Amino acid sequence: MDISTAQFTKRFKSLADRFAATSDIEALLQNCSLSSVTAGNRIITYGGRCSTLYLVWNGLLSASIEDGNAKLVLGDIRPGEWVGEVTLIEPGPATASVTCVEDSQLLALSHDAFNSLRTSRPSAAGALLQVLCLNIAERLRVTNTTLLHAKAPQG
């Protein structure tokens, strides 16, 4: 399945809106690979090495943190959303596990492919980085608020 810039723009509107030109979206798509992953398969393991951004084209993923028998479900990742932005920017240990809940199609952008995009099309890489950083900041704010309310004294 080839994904057109129009299809990408419709599915990933908040991301596509940051690109200055359609050719930037084309450059991003040329650096991504599309893969099918069956339900039950884990694409990222908490603490494991990861360096890939996954954009969910179809399907449903679930993010969680596990420690022994304890499991904290962080949430679902749906079509038009992504996961792996932290390790795309700085490869290293994954901050969560991500498992396909449904058969899914994912666009994958590896760190090496991202570096290639930075060299060949800096405007596309810059737009992508801006959206990813804004997304990381929003997730951090939500997490901090959640933790603050969870630790607030009961009175």
Side-chain angles (χ1 to χ4, degrees):
M1 171 185 168
D2 287 330
I3 297 172
S4 71
T5 56
Q7 291 170 314
F8 182 89
T9 299
K10 184 176 179 182
R11 181 67 43 100
F12 297 98
K13 183 166 177 29
S14 64
L15 176 57
D17 285 349
R18 297 288 182 167
F19 287 96
T22 302
S23 57
D24 285 340
I25 296 172
E26 291 169 356
L28 173 63
L29 288 171
Q30 289 170 358
N31 282 279
C32 289
S33 60
L34 182 64
S35 61
S36 296
V37 183
T38 56
N41 283 329
R42 181 174 285 181
I43 61 166
I44 301 173
T45 300
Y46 175 70
R49 180 148 175 80
C50 186
S51 62
T52 302
L53 172 71
Y54 296 97
L55 299 125
V56 181
W57 186 255
N58 286 317
L60 178 66
L61 286 64
S62 179
S64 62
I65 298 174
E66 297 142 7
D67 185 21
N69 291 332
K71 180 177 180 179
L72 174 64
V73 176
L74 301 173
D76 292 333
I77 303 104
R78 301 177 185 288
E81 298 177 339
W82 52 83
V83 66
E85 62 273 16
V86 171
T87 59
L88 176 73
I89 296 167
E90 180 62 37
T95 58
S97 292
V98 179
T99 304
C100 290
V101 176
E102 299 174 356
D103 290 350
S104 303
Q105 288 185 302
L106 309 173
L107 284 166
L109 179 66
S110 70
H111 182 73
D112 289 342
F114 176 69
N115 283 335
S116 175
L117 182 66
R118 282 185 19 207
T119 301
S120 67
R121 205 57 194 227
S123 58
L128 177 61
L129 270 178
Q130 182 181 25
V131 171
L132 297 181
C133 288
L134 290 171
N135 187 255
I136 291 168
E138 179 59 26
R139 287 183 185 180
L140 182 59
R141 287 185 185 110
V142 168
T143 299
N144 287 346
T145 301
T146 301
L147 287 174
L148 179 64
H149 287 45
K151 298 290 184 182
Q154 304 295 322

